[in-house]
Amino acid sequence: GDKAFAQFLTDEIKEEKKIQKHKSLPKVSGGWELEVHGTEAKLVRKIAGEKIMVTFNINNSIPPSDDEDTQEEQKPGEQEPELTSTPNFVVEVVKDDTKQTLVLDCHYPEDEIGHEGEEESDIFTIREVSFQPTGESDWKDTNYTLNTDSLDWALYDHLMDFLADRGVDNTFADELIELSTALEHQEYIKFLEDLKSFVKCQ
C-alpha cells in the first residue's frame, strides 16, 4: 500500500510542479519587503514616520468550491479549476511617536470576487479595527474593538482611504492574492514531498 501511495505522490508532485505558475514568489509592487515564516507571510513598508505591516497566513485561505457536482463531470485530462488563495490579512500601522498601533483586520468577501456589477467596488473589506500597544505580540481582548458591520459609512470610507494612502488598495489586494496563491502552492508541493519521504521511510 505504501509503495502505491509513494508512487501516487511522485506523480502528483510532478503534475503540481508542471502547473506551478511562479518558480519564485511574485513581488508586491510599492516597495514592500516580504518575510515568510512557514505559512505566515509579512509585508513591511516604511513611509515618513510610519511603518505599515501586513500579515497573513495561507492556512485555510482557499475558499471551499461551491459546485460539488462539477467534479464528476470533469473529463479526464481536463485542467482542474485554478485554486485561489484569499487569506484574511491584518494591517498594522505604527507611528514613530505613539505607543499605539492601529490594527485593521481585513478580508476578501466570498461573494464579491468575480462580480463585475459595480465598477468601483473594493475587493477587500475591513472587518475590525482596534488599537494595540506597540511591540506587544499578544493583543488584549480588553482593548475596544470596532466591528465595521454597524459602522457609519463615511467613517468606513475614511478608513479605506487611510489604508489606500498607505499602499493598501485594490491593486495591493490583487497582488496579495497572487502572492498568497503562489505561496500556498509552494507549501502544498513541499507538503507532498514531505509526505512522500514520510511514507517511504521504513
Side-chain angles (χ1 to χ4, degrees), residues 84-119:
T84 308
S85 159
T86 50
N88 299 342
F89 59 97
V90 174
V91 184
E92 293 168 67
V93 181
V94 186
K95 288 190 188 262
D96 290 349
D97 46 5
T98 68
K99 302 274 183 290
Q100 288 184 312
T101 298
L102 183 65
V103 178
L104 302 103
D105 195 339
C106 305
H107 75 139
Y108 295 96
E110 276 163 40
D111 48 354
E112 287 296 313
I113 295 166
H115 289 265
E116 269 91 57
E118 295 171 36
E119 298 297 290

PDB file of all heavy atoms in Angstrom, residues 84-119:
ATOM      1  N   THR A  84      -7.557  29.605  -5.866  1.00  0.00           N
ATOM      2  CA  THR A  84      -7.044  30.912  -5.500  1.00  0.00           C
ATOM      3  C   THR A  84      -7.082  31.055  -3.993  1.00  0.00           C
ATOM      4  O   THR A  84      -8.070  30.702  -3.359  1.00  0.00           O
ATOM      5  CB  THR A  84      -7.918  32.025  -6.128  1.00  0.00           C
ATOM      6  OG1 THR A  84      -8.029  31.756  -7.520  1.00  0.00           O
ATOM      7  CG2 THR A  84      -7.279  33.382  -5.948  1.00  0.00           C
ATOM      8  N   SER A  85      -5.985  31.558  -3.446  1.00  0.00           N
ATOM      9  CA  SER A  85      -5.905  31.731  -2.004  1.00  0.00           C
ATOM     10  C   SER A  85      -6.267  33.177  -1.652  1.00  0.00           C
ATOM     11  O   SER A  85      -5.634  34.116  -2.114  1.00  0.00           O
ATOM     12  CB  SER A  85      -4.477  31.399  -1.579  1.00  0.00           C
ATOM     13  OG  SER A  85      -4.187  31.971  -0.334  1.00  0.00           O
ATOM     14  N   THR A  86      -7.327  33.337  -0.868  1.00  0.00           N
ATOM     15  CA  THR A  86      -7.753  34.683  -0.461  1.00  0.00           C
ATOM     16  C   THR A  86      -7.752  34.767   1.060  1.00  0.00           C
ATOM     17  O   THR A  86      -8.802  34.641   1.701  1.00  0.00           O
ATOM     18  CB  THR A  86      -9.173  34.986  -0.982  1.00  0.00           C
ATOM     19  OG1 THR A  86     -10.026  33.878  -0.633  1.00  0.00           O
ATOM     20  CG2 THR A  86      -9.193  35.166  -2.477  1.00  0.00           C
ATOM     21  N   PRO A  87      -6.569  34.949   1.644  1.00  0.00           N
ATOM     22  CA  PRO A  87      -6.481  34.906   3.109  1.00  0.00           C
ATOM     23  C   PRO A  87      -7.006  36.186   3.745  1.00  0.00           C
ATOM     24  O   PRO A  87      -6.977  37.251   3.126  1.00  0.00           O
ATOM     25  CB  PRO A  87      -4.972  34.812   3.335  1.00  0.00           C
ATOM     26  CG  PRO A  87      -4.378  35.532   2.171  1.00  0.00           C
ATOM     27  CD  PRO A  87      -5.279  35.259   1.018  1.00  0.00           C
ATOM     28  N   ASN A  88      -7.471  36.064   4.971  1.00  0.00           N
ATOM     29  CA  ASN A  88      -7.694  37.280   5.758  1.00  0.00           C
ATOM     30  C   ASN A  88      -6.330  37.908   5.971  1.00  0.00           C
ATOM     31  O   ASN A  88      -5.338  37.197   6.058  1.00  0.00           O
ATOM     32  CB  ASN A  88      -8.294  36.945   7.128  1.00  0.00           C
ATOM     33  CG  ASN A  88      -9.643  36.264   6.989  1.00  0.00           C
ATOM     34  OD1 ASN A  88     -10.273  36.326   5.944  1.00  0.00           O
ATOM     35  ND2 ASN A  88     -10.071  35.591   8.041  1.00  0.00           N
ATOM     36  N   PHE A  89      -6.270  39.223   6.054  1.00  0.00           N
ATOM     37  CA  PHE A  89      -4.980  39.831   6.361  1.00  0.00           C
ATOM     38  C   PHE A  89      -5.155  40.960   7.363  1.00  0.00           C
ATOM     39  O   PHE A  89      -6.213  41.577   7.444  1.00  0.00           O
ATOM     40  CB  PHE A  89      -4.254  40.306   5.087  1.00  0.00           C
ATOM     41  CG  PHE A  89      -4.988  41.326   4.253  1.00  0.00           C
ATOM     42  CD1 PHE A  89      -4.722  42.679   4.384  1.00  0.00           C
ATOM     43  CD2 PHE A  89      -5.923  40.919   3.312  1.00  0.00           C
ATOM     44  CE1 PHE A  89      -5.380  43.617   3.605  1.00  0.00           C
ATOM     45  CE2 PHE A  89      -6.594  41.853   2.520  1.00  0.00           C
ATOM     46  CZ  PHE A  89      -6.315  43.199   2.660  1.00  0.00           C
ATOM     47  N   VAL A  90      -4.110  41.151   8.163  1.00  0.00           N
ATOM     48  CA  VAL A  90      -4.150  42.152   9.216  1.00  0.00           C
ATOM     49  C   VAL A  90      -3.170  43.265   8.856  1.00  0.00           C
ATOM     50  O   VAL A  90      -2.016  42.997   8.549  1.00  0.00           O
ATOM     51  CB  VAL A  90      -3.771  41.533  10.579  1.00  0.00           C
ATOM     52  CG1 VAL A  90      -3.671  42.614  11.655  1.00  0.00           C
ATOM     53  CG2 VAL A  90      -4.798  40.492  10.981  1.00  0.00           C
ATOM     54  N   VAL A  91      -3.658  44.490   8.866  1.00  0.00           N
ATOM     55  CA  VAL A  91      -2.790  45.638   8.588  1.00  0.00           C
ATOM     56  C   VAL A  91      -2.504  46.339   9.906  1.00  0.00           C
ATOM     57  O   VAL A  91      -3.430  46.676  10.646  1.00  0.00           O
ATOM     58  CB  VAL A  91      -3.466  46.638   7.626  1.00  0.00           C
ATOM     59  CG1 VAL A  91      -2.505  47.777   7.275  1.00  0.00           C
ATOM     60  CG2 VAL A  91      -3.944  45.944   6.366  1.00  0.00           C
ATOM     61  N   GLU A  92      -1.216  46.532  10.200  1.00  0.00           N
ATOM     62  CA  GLU A  92      -0.833  47.275  11.398  1.00  0.00           C
ATOM     63  C   GLU A  92      -0.129  48.547  10.960  1.00  0.00           C
ATOM     64  O   GLU A  92       0.786  48.500  10.149  1.00  0.00           O
ATOM     65  CB  GLU A  92       0.129  46.452  12.260  1.00  0.00           C
ATOM     66  CG  GLU A  92      -0.496  45.213  12.867  1.00  0.00           C
ATOM     67  CD  GLU A  92       0.569  44.299  13.447  1.00  0.00           C
ATOM     68  OE1 GLU A  92       1.208  44.694  14.443  1.00  0.00           O
ATOM     69  OE2 GLU A  92       0.778  43.216  12.892  1.00  0.00           O
ATOM     70  N   VAL A  93      -0.584  49.657  11.505  1.00  0.00           N
ATOM     71  CA  VAL A  93       0.070  50.930  11.208  1.00  0.00           C
ATOM     72  C   VAL A  93       0.691  51.452  12.499  1.00  0.00           C
ATOM     73  O   VAL A  93       0.001  51.659  13.495  1.00  0.00           O
ATOM     74  CB  VAL A  93      -0.933  51.964  10.643  1.00  0.00           C
ATOM     75  CG1 VAL A  93      -0.225  53.269  10.309  1.00  0.00           C
ATOM     76  CG2 VAL A  93      -1.628  51.409   9.400  1.00  0.00           C
ATOM     77  N   VAL A  94       2.016  51.600  12.473  1.00  0.00           N
ATOM     78  CA  VAL A  94       2.743  52.066  13.653  1.00  0.00           C
ATOM     79  C   VAL A  94       3.300  53.445  13.348  1.00  0.00           C
ATOM     80  O   VAL A  94       4.018  53.616  12.364  1.00  0.00           O
ATOM     81  CB  VAL A  94       3.938  51.120  13.969  1.00  0.00           C
ATOM     82  CG1 VAL A  94       4.603  51.520  15.277  1.00  0.00           C
ATOM     83  CG2 VAL A  94       3.490  49.675  14.028  1.00  0.00           C
ATOM     84  N   LYS A  95       2.963  54.423  14.183  1.00  0.00           N
ATOM     85  CA  LYS A  95       3.557  55.749  14.015  1.00  0.00           C
ATOM     86  C   LYS A  95       4.721  55.863  14.975  1.00  0.00           C
ATOM     87  O   LYS A  95       4.639  55.408  16.112  1.00  0.00           O
ATOM     88  CB  LYS A  95       2.526  56.843  14.280  1.00  0.00           C
ATOM     89  CG  LYS A  95       1.489  56.954  13.160  1.00  0.00           C
ATOM     90  CD  LYS A  95       0.634  58.197  13.324  1.00  0.00           C
ATOM     91  CE  LYS A  95      -0.511  58.218  12.340  1.00  0.00           C
ATOM     92  NZ  LYS A  95      -0.243  59.042  11.152  1.00  0.00           N
ATOM     93  N   ASP A  96       5.799  56.478  14.517  1.00  0.00           N
ATOM     94  CA  ASP A  96       7.022  56.534  15.318  1.00  0.00           C
ATOM     95  C   ASP A  96       6.815  57.133  16.705  1.00  0.00           C
ATOM     96  O   ASP A  96       7.414  56.693  17.667  1.00  0.00           O
ATOM     97  CB  ASP A  96       8.097  57.361  14.586  1.00  0.00           C
ATOM     98  CG  ASP A  96       8.595  56.609  13.360  1.00  0.00           C
ATOM     99  OD1 ASP A  96       8.262  55.409  13.230  1.00  0.00           O
ATOM    100  OD2 ASP A  96       9.300  57.211  12.537  1.00  0.00           O
ATOM    101  N   ASP A  97       5.944  58.132  16.796  1.00  0.00           N
ATOM    102  CA  ASP A  97       5.890  58.850  18.073  1.00  0.00           C
ATOM    103  C   ASP A  97       4.708  58.479  18.960  1.00  0.00           C
ATOM    104  O   ASP A  97       4.368  59.205  19.868  1.00  0.00           O
ATOM    105  CB  ASP A  97       5.915  60.361  17.817  1.00  0.00           C
ATOM    106  CG  ASP A  97       4.954  60.747  16.717  1.00  0.00           C
ATOM    107  OD1 ASP A  97       4.214  59.851  16.247  1.00  0.00           O
ATOM    108  OD2 ASP A  97       4.937  61.926  16.321  1.00  0.00           O
ATOM    109  N   THR A  98       4.044  57.348  18.686  1.00  0.00           N
ATOM    110  CA  THR A  98       2.973  56.942  19.612  1.00  0.00           C
ATOM    111  C   THR A  98       3.271  55.538  20.111  1.00  0.00           C
ATOM    112  O   THR A  98       4.020  54.793  19.499  1.00  0.00           O
ATOM    113  CB  THR A  98       1.587  56.915  18.925  1.00  0.00           C
ATOM    114  OG1 THR A  98       1.596  55.853  17.977  1.00  0.00           O
ATOM    115  CG2 THR A  98       1.267  58.217  18.248  1.00  0.00           C
ATOM    116  N   LYS A  99       2.642  55.196  21.218  1.00  0.00           N
ATOM    117  CA  LYS A  99       2.844  53.871  21.802  1.00  0.00           C
ATOM    118  C   LYS A  99       1.779  52.900  21.296  1.00  0.00           C
ATOM    119  O   LYS A  99       1.686  51.778  21.740  1.00  0.00           O
ATOM    120  CB  LYS A  99       2.732  53.952  23.336  1.00  0.00           C
ATOM    121  CG  LYS A  99       3.726  54.913  23.977  1.00  0.00           C
ATOM    122  CD  LYS A  99       5.058  54.226  24.253  1.00  0.00           C
ATOM    123  CE  LYS A  99       6.040  55.133  24.952  1.00  0.00           C
ATOM    124  NZ  LYS A  99       6.527  56.224  24.064  1.00  0.00           N
ATOM    125  N   GLN A 100       0.941  53.408  20.397  1.00  0.00           N
ATOM    126  CA  GLN A 100      -0.160  52.569  19.949  1.00  0.00           C
ATOM    127  C   GLN A 100      -0.013  52.169  18.491  1.00  0.00           C
ATOM    128  O   GLN A 100       0.538  52.904  17.679  1.00  0.00           O
ATOM    129  CB  GLN A 100      -1.482  53.316  20.112  1.00  0.00           C
ATOM    130  CG  GLN A 100      -1.917  53.454  21.560  1.00  0.00           C
ATOM    131  CD  GLN A 100      -3.270  54.117  21.633  1.00  0.00           C
ATOM    132  OE1 GLN A 100      -3.501  55.132  20.989  1.00  0.00           O
ATOM    133  NE2 GLN A 100      -4.162  53.559  22.424  1.00  0.00           N
ATOM    134  N   THR A 101      -0.540  51.006  18.172  1.00  0.00           N
ATOM    135  CA  THR A 101      -0.577  50.529  16.797  1.00  0.00           C
ATOM    136  C   THR A 101      -2.037  50.427  16.391  1.00  0.00           C
ATOM    137  O   THR A 101      -2.846  49.874  17.132  1.00  0.00           O
ATOM    138  CB  THR A 101       0.068  49.128  16.717  1.00  0.00           C
ATOM    139  OG1 THR A 101       1.426  49.238  17.127  1.00  0.00           O
ATOM    140  CG2 THR A 101       0.019  48.563  15.308  1.00  0.00           C
ATOM    141  N   LEU A 102      -2.363  50.963  15.219  1.00  0.00           N
ATOM    142  CA  LEU A 102      -3.721  50.815  14.704  1.00  0.00           C
ATOM    143  C   LEU A 102      -3.771  49.501  13.934  1.00  0.00           C
ATOM    144  O   LEU A 102      -2.951  49.263  13.045  1.00  0.00           O
ATOM    145  CB  LEU A 102      -4.076  51.989  13.788  1.00  0.00           C
ATOM    146  CG  LEU A 102      -5.504  51.988  13.237  1.00  0.00           C
ATOM    147  CD1 LEU A 102      -6.524  52.143  14.357  1.00  0.00           C
ATOM    148  CD2 LEU A 102      -5.685  53.100  12.205  1.00  0.00           C
ATOM    149  N   VAL A 103      -4.692  48.625  14.320  1.00  0.00           N
ATOM    150  CA  VAL A 103      -4.779  47.304  13.717  1.00  0.00           C
ATOM    151  C   VAL A 103      -6.093  47.174  12.954  1.00  0.00           C
ATOM    152  O   VAL A 103      -7.163  47.399  13.515  1.00  0.00           O
ATOM    153  CB  VAL A 103      -4.712  46.209  14.811  1.00  0.00           C
ATOM    154  CG1 VAL A 103      -4.849  44.817  14.199  1.00  0.00           C
ATOM    155  CG2 VAL A 103      -3.406  46.319  15.591  1.00  0.00           C
ATOM    156  N   LEU A 104      -5.988  46.856  11.674  1.00  0.00           N
ATOM    157  CA  LEU A 104      -7.194  46.697  10.854  1.00  0.00           C
ATOM    158  C   LEU A 104      -7.241  45.276  10.321  1.00  0.00           C
ATOM    159  O   LEU A 104      -6.307  44.818   9.662  1.00  0.00           O
ATOM    160  CB  LEU A 104      -7.195  47.689   9.686  1.00  0.00           C
ATOM    161  CG  LEU A 104      -7.119  49.161  10.110  1.00  0.00           C
ATOM    162  CD1 LEU A 104      -5.732  49.707   9.895  1.00  0.00           C
ATOM    163  CD2 LEU A 104      -8.123  50.002   9.357  1.00  0.00           C
ATOM    164  N   ASP A 105      -8.322  44.607  10.649  1.00  0.00           N
ATOM    165  CA  ASP A 105      -8.486  43.218  10.253  1.00  0.00           C
ATOM    166  C   ASP A 105      -9.283  43.194   8.951  1.00  0.00           C
ATOM    167  O   ASP A 105     -10.443  43.611   8.934  1.00  0.00           O
ATOM    168  CB  ASP A 105      -9.266  42.525  11.381  1.00  0.00           C
ATOM    169  CG  ASP A 105      -9.183  41.028  11.265  1.00  0.00           C
ATOM    170  OD1 ASP A 105      -8.893  40.551  10.161  1.00  0.00           O
ATOM    171  OD2 ASP A 105      -9.423  40.336  12.271  1.00  0.00           O
ATOM    172  N   CYS A 106      -8.671  42.737   7.860  1.00  0.00           N
ATOM    173  CA  CYS A 106      -9.330  42.806   6.554  1.00  0.00           C
ATOM    174  C   CYS A 106      -9.577  41.411   6.000  1.00  0.00           C
ATOM    175  O   CYS A 106      -8.866  40.472   6.323  1.00  0.00           O
ATOM    176  CB  CYS A 106      -8.449  43.558   5.560  1.00  0.00           C
ATOM    177  SG  CYS A 106      -7.966  45.187   6.121  1.00  0.00           S
ATOM    178  N   HIS A 107     -10.578  41.320   5.145  1.00  0.00           N
ATOM    179  CA  HIS A 107     -10.779  40.029   4.484  1.00  0.00           C
ATOM    180  C   HIS A 107     -11.401  40.230   3.108  1.00  0.00           C
ATOM    181  O   HIS A 107     -11.866  41.309   2.756  1.00  0.00           O
ATOM    182  CB  HIS A 107     -11.612  39.086   5.356  1.00  0.00           C
ATOM    183  CG  HIS A 107     -13.067  39.413   5.393  1.00  0.00           C
ATOM    184  ND1 HIS A 107     -14.041  38.450   5.339  1.00  0.00           N
ATOM    185  CD2 HIS A 107     -13.721  40.583   5.464  1.00  0.00           C
ATOM    186  CE1 HIS A 107     -15.229  39.028   5.380  1.00  0.00           C
ATOM    187  NE2 HIS A 107     -15.058  40.319   5.462  1.00  0.00           N
ATOM    188  N   TYR A 108     -11.345  39.168   2.321  1.00  0.00           N
ATOM    189  CA  TYR A 108     -11.954  39.171   0.990  1.00  0.00           C
ATOM    190  C   TYR A 108     -13.341  38.558   1.123  1.00  0.00           C
ATOM    191  O   TYR A 108     -13.454  37.386   1.463  1.00  0.00           O
ATOM    192  CB  TYR A 108     -11.128  38.311   0.025  1.00  0.00           C
ATOM    193  CG  TYR A 108      -9.743  38.844  -0.235  1.00  0.00           C
ATOM    194  CD1 TYR A 108      -8.653  38.364   0.489  1.00  0.00           C
ATOM    195  CD2 TYR A 108      -9.517  39.807  -1.208  1.00  0.00           C
ATOM    196  CE1 TYR A 108      -7.370  38.846   0.248  1.00  0.00           C
ATOM    197  CE2 TYR A 108      -8.237  40.293  -1.452  1.00  0.00           C
ATOM    198  CZ  TYR A 108      -7.177  39.807  -0.724  1.00  0.00           C
ATOM    199  OH  TYR A 108      -5.912  40.292  -0.963  1.00  0.00           O
ATOM    200  N   PRO A 109     -14.387  39.342   0.882  1.00  0.00           N
ATOM    201  CA  PRO A 109     -15.730  38.764   0.988  1.00  0.00           C
ATOM    202  C   PRO A 109     -15.917  37.716  -0.110  1.00  0.00           C
ATOM    203  O   PRO A 109     -15.546  37.950  -1.250  1.00  0.00           O
ATOM    204  CB  PRO A 109     -16.664  39.949   0.776  1.00  0.00           C
ATOM    205  CG  PRO A 109     -15.825  41.104   0.406  1.00  0.00           C
ATOM    206  CD  PRO A 109     -14.392  40.727   0.450  1.00  0.00           C
ATOM    207  N   GLU A 110     -16.476  36.569   0.241  1.00  0.00           N
ATOM    208  CA  GLU A 110     -16.553  35.475  -0.720  1.00  0.00           C
ATOM    209  C   GLU A 110     -17.426  35.809  -1.916  1.00  0.00           C
ATOM    210  O   GLU A 110     -17.155  35.410  -3.034  1.00  0.00           O
ATOM    211  CB  GLU A 110     -17.073  34.210  -0.043  1.00  0.00           C
ATOM    212  CG  GLU A 110     -15.949  33.447   0.639  1.00  0.00           C
ATOM    213  CD  GLU A 110     -16.457  32.434   1.640  1.00  0.00           C
ATOM    214  OE1 GLU A 110     -17.467  31.772   1.350  1.00  0.00           O
ATOM    215  OE2 GLU A 110     -15.838  32.314   2.712  1.00  0.00           O
ATOM    216  N   ASP A 111     -18.522  36.554  -1.662  1.00  0.00           N
ATOM    217  CA  ASP A 111     -19.444  36.804  -2.768  1.00  0.00           C
ATOM    218  C   ASP A 111     -18.967  37.922  -3.701  1.00  0.00           C
ATOM    219  O   ASP A 111     -19.488  38.095  -4.785  1.00  0.00           O
ATOM    220  CB  ASP A 111     -20.842  37.135  -2.229  1.00  0.00           C
ATOM    221  CG  ASP A 111     -20.771  38.189  -1.132  1.00  0.00           C
ATOM    222  OD1 ASP A 111     -19.636  38.542  -0.742  1.00  0.00           O
ATOM    223  OD2 ASP A 111     -21.821  38.659  -0.671  1.00  0.00           O
ATOM    224  N   GLU A 112     -17.960  38.676  -3.276  1.00  0.00           N
ATOM    225  CA  GLU A 112     -17.532  39.818  -4.074  1.00  0.00           C
ATOM    226  C   GLU A 112     -16.690  39.396  -5.263  1.00  0.00           C
ATOM    227  O   GLU A 112     -16.676  40.040  -6.293  1.00  0.00           O
ATOM    228  CB  GLU A 112     -16.665  40.773  -3.225  1.00  0.00           C
ATOM    229  CG  GLU A 112     -17.442  41.564  -2.198  1.00  0.00           C
ATOM    230  CD  GLU A 112     -18.451  42.505  -2.823  1.00  0.00           C
ATOM    231  OE1 GLU A 112     -18.083  43.215  -3.780  1.00  0.00           O
ATOM    232  OE2 GLU A 112     -19.596  42.512  -2.371  1.00  0.00           O
ATOM    233  N   ILE A 113     -15.939  38.324  -5.088  1.00  0.00           N
ATOM    234  CA  ILE A 113     -14.920  38.014  -6.076  1.00  0.00           C
ATOM    235  C   ILE A 113     -15.570  37.573  -7.376  1.00  0.00           C
ATOM    236  O   ILE A 113     -16.431  36.700  -7.408  1.00  0.00           O
ATOM    237  CB  ILE A 113     -13.940  36.959  -5.530  1.00  0.00           C
ATOM    238  CG1 ILE A 113     -13.197  37.583  -4.351  1.00  0.00           C
ATOM    239  CG2 ILE A 113     -12.957  36.499  -6.587  1.00  0.00           C
ATOM    240  CD1 ILE A 113     -12.446  36.637  -3.497  1.00  0.00           C
ATOM    241  N   GLY A 114     -15.174  38.224  -8.449  1.00  0.00           N
ATOM    242  CA  GLY A 114     -15.698  37.863  -9.755  1.00  0.00           C
ATOM    243  C   GLY A 114     -17.005  38.532 -10.125  1.00  0.00           C
ATOM    244  O   GLY A 114     -17.570  38.256 -11.161  1.00  0.00           O
ATOM    245  N   HIS A 115     -17.526  39.424  -9.299  1.00  0.00           N
ATOM    246  CA  HIS A 115     -18.735  40.153  -9.681  1.00  0.00           C
ATOM    247  C   HIS A 115     -18.339  41.494 -10.264  1.00  0.00           C
ATOM    248  O   HIS A 115     -17.721  42.304  -9.593  1.00  0.00           O
ATOM    249  CB  HIS A 115     -19.639  40.394  -8.457  1.00  0.00           C
ATOM    250  CG  HIS A 115     -20.279  39.133  -7.977  1.00  0.00           C
ATOM    251  ND1 HIS A 115     -21.523  38.743  -8.367  1.00  0.00           N
ATOM    252  CD2 HIS A 115     -19.829  38.152  -7.151  1.00  0.00           C
ATOM    253  CE1 HIS A 115     -21.823  37.583  -7.807  1.00  0.00           C
ATOM    254  NE2 HIS A 115     -20.802  37.198  -7.056  1.00  0.00           N
ATOM    255  N   GLU A 116     -18.720  41.715 -11.526  1.00  0.00           N
ATOM    256  CA  GLU A 116     -18.312  42.988 -12.134  1.00  0.00           C
ATOM    257  C   GLU A 116     -19.445  44.009 -12.128  1.00  0.00           C
ATOM    258  O   GLU A 116     -19.460  44.929 -12.922  1.00  0.00           O
ATOM    259  CB  GLU A 116     -17.836  42.761 -13.573  1.00  0.00           C
ATOM    260  CG  GLU A 116     -16.347  42.495 -13.671  1.00  0.00           C
ATOM    261  CD  GLU A 116     -16.012  41.021 -13.595  1.00  0.00           C
ATOM    262  OE1 GLU A 116     -16.536  40.273 -14.437  1.00  0.00           O
ATOM    263  OE2 GLU A 116     -15.251  40.624 -12.704  1.00  0.00           O
ATOM    264  N   GLY A 117     -20.424  43.809 -11.273  1.00  0.00           N
ATOM    265  CA  GLY A 117     -21.578  44.708 -11.240  1.00  0.00           C
ATOM    266  C   GLY A 117     -21.165  46.142 -11.004  1.00  0.00           C
ATOM    267  O   GLY A 117     -21.463  47.037 -11.797  1.00  0.00           O
ATOM    268  N   GLU A 118     -20.453  46.370  -9.915  1.00  0.00           N
ATOM    269  CA  GLU A 118     -20.063  47.733  -9.582  1.00  0.00           C
ATOM    270  C   GLU A 118     -18.649  47.975 -10.062  1.00  0.00           C
ATOM    271  O   GLU A 118     -17.758  47.186  -9.805  1.00  0.00           O
ATOM    272  CB  GLU A 118     -20.113  47.936  -8.062  1.00  0.00           C
ATOM    273  CG  GLU A 118     -21.507  47.813  -7.492  1.00  0.00           C
ATOM    274  CD  GLU A 118     -21.482  47.793  -5.970  1.00  0.00           C
ATOM    275  OE1 GLU A 118     -20.643  48.501  -5.380  1.00  0.00           O
ATOM    276  OE2 GLU A 118     -22.280  47.062  -5.394  1.00  0.00           O
ATOM    277  N   GLU A 119     -18.477  49.089 -10.734  1.00  0.00           N
ATOM    278  CA  GLU A 119     -17.160  49.406 -11.283  1.00  0.00           C
ATOM    279  C   GLU A 119     -16.142  49.577 -10.166  1.00  0.00           C
ATOM    280  O   GLU A 119     -15.078  49.017 -10.184  1.00  0.00           O
ATOM    281  CB  GLU A 119     -17.233  50.718 -12.082  1.00  0.00           C
ATOM    282  CG  GLU A 119     -18.162  50.656 -13.275  1.00  0.00           C
ATOM    283  CD  GLU A 119     -17.713  49.638 -14.305  1.00  0.00           C
ATOM    284  OE1 GLU A 119     -16.698  49.888 -14.959  1.00  0.00           O
ATOM    285  OE2 GLU A 119     -18.370  48.586 -14.445  1.00  0.00           O
TER     286      GLU A 119
END
